[in-house]
Amino acid sequence: MGDITTGTDVVVIGGGPGGYVAAIRAAQRGLATTLVEKDHYGGACLNHGCIPSKAFITAADVADEAANASGMGVYADPEVDMGELAAWKDDVVDRLTGGVEQLCEANGVDLIEGTAAFEDEHTVRIAHGGEGQGMETVEFEQAIVATGSRPVEIPGFDFADEPVWSSRDALAAETVPDDLVVVGAGYIGMELSTTFAKLGADVTVVEMLDDVLPAYEEDVSSVVRRRADDLGIDFTFGEGASGWEETSDGRIAVHTETEDGTESTYEADRVLVAVGREPVTDTLELEEIDLAPDDDGFLRTDDRARTDLDHVFAVGDVAGEPMLAHKASAEGIVAAEVAAGENAAFDARAIPAAVFTDPEIATVGLTEAEAEEAGFDPLVGEMPLRANGRALTMDETEGFVRIVAEADAGFVLGAQIVAPEASELIAEAALAVEMGARLDDLAGTIHTHPTLSETLLEAAENALGEAIHTLNE
C-alpha cells in the first residue's frame, strides 16, 4: 500500500493515561488531534499494570479474608479458579480500554494504530502493524510524547524465556505456580508477592538491599513486612539474582550472589523479575529532531511539560519520576492546555502515591524528615488504627495515619498512611496539601462515624495536642 499523508494540530504518541487524556483535552480545546497507539488503548496501566493487578489483588484479598475470618465466627475454605479469575480480569480490562477508545472518538480525536517515529521536527511516520499495511505520514504543529515505560530486564533473565516472568507475564497467568521466586522487593515486587502468596504460591523474595520497600520510612514498610511474614513469604536480603537454569525435574534453579561473592540457589517453577520500569524512547528516532533523553532515559521537561523543543511535549513515565498513571494524566492535561495557548503549569507538590500491599500504603507531600530538610519546623500527629472503631470491626488494626504540618501556622505539608483503603484515604490529605489547608481545617471537619477516615481527623487533632481517642504526646 502507498503512503498516506495527513495533517493535524497536535499528534499524541502513546495512548496510555498520559496520552489519551492529553488527546481528549486537546480536542476539547478545539485542536485537531491525532492519537497514535501501537498496542492497546489505555497503555500499560489499563492493559498490563494498574487495572489487572488490582483485579488480581482484590480477588486474592477476598479469598484470604474468607479463609482467615474464623475469629469473627466465619469459616470458609475458598477455592480460586485462576482461569475464571483471569477471564474476569480480562473483561474488566476490555471494558475500560474500549471505553477509552469510545471517549477519544466522541471527543473528535483521530485514532491511528501503529508505531510513530519522528522524521523531522514537524513530521512523524507511522508504521502500521501487519504485513503489507504500509506507512502513514502525519504532519503536525505540536507533538505530545507519551510512550510510557516497560519492565526492566536484568542480565541472565530474558522475558522471552517461559519460566521468566515480567509483571506483565505474571498478570496474564492462568495458573498459580507452586513455588515462585520474586526478584525485587519494591512496590511491584511486594504487591505481586503478596497476591500470589494469598493465591497459594510459596513465595521467596530476593532483594539486593536490606529491607522491603526501600523508598518508604522504616515504620511504614515494617507493617507490610510483618504481614508478608505472616503470609509465609520468605525474604533474602543483600542478594542479587545472577541467573537461572532448568533442573532435571522440569523446574528451575535461580542463582543469587552477595557482594562478597557468596552464592545461593532457590528452586522454583517461575521467577518474577520486578526490579523497576524504564522509559520507552527507542522507537521514536529522537535523533531526527535533535532531542536526547537524559542519563536515566527520561525526556527533560519544564513545568509546562515542554521538552527542549518548545513544540514537543513529554508526559507520563517517559518524562520522569514518579512513574504514576495519575501523574501522567495531570501532565497530559497541562501539555494539551499549553498547546492550546493556555497558561497551564504542572505542580508536583501534591502527587499522592499508593502501594496496594496488605495493608495498603499511601503518601503525599513531605515526610517529617523531608520537611526538616526543606527548612520547616514540622509538627506531626498520628492516629493508630488499633484505636479506630471501624478498623476494629474490620479486624484490621495494624497501621497508622500520620499528618505532617508546619508548626507556625499549621499548614499541612504531607501525610503517610498504612491502612486498609489507604489509597482512598490519601485523597483528603492530598486536597489539604494542594489547597493549603491547616490542621484545624482537618480537625474542624466533621467526619462520618464509624469510618477509617476519622483517623485523619484524629491525627490532625493529635498534632494540635487535642486528640480525644489517642494519647497526645
Side-chain angles (χ1 to χ4, degrees), residues 12 64 109 123 128 131 139 146-147 180 182-183 190 192 208 227 234 262 267 298 314 345 382 384 388-389 417 458:
V12 181
D64 182 68
V109 177
T123 309
H128 298 296
E131 185 177 351
E139 297 175 348
T147 43
L180 175 67
V182 178
V183 180
M190 289 304 297
L192 292 176
M208 292 185 65
R227 176 61 176 142
D234 292 324
T262 302
E267 288 201 8
F298 299 113
E382 289 191 13
N388 175 260
I417 301 176
E458 295 277 2

Side-chain angles (χ1 to χ4, degrees), residues 388-420:
N388 175 260
R390 183 67 182 115
L392 286 165
T393 66
M394 297 169 67
D395 196 26
E396 295 280 2
T397 57
E398 284 288 313
F400 58 87
V401 171
R402 177 188 297 137
I403 300 289
V404 180
E406 58 89 27
D408 291 338
F411 287 110
V412 178
L413 301 175
Q416 298 84 47
I417 301 176
V418 188

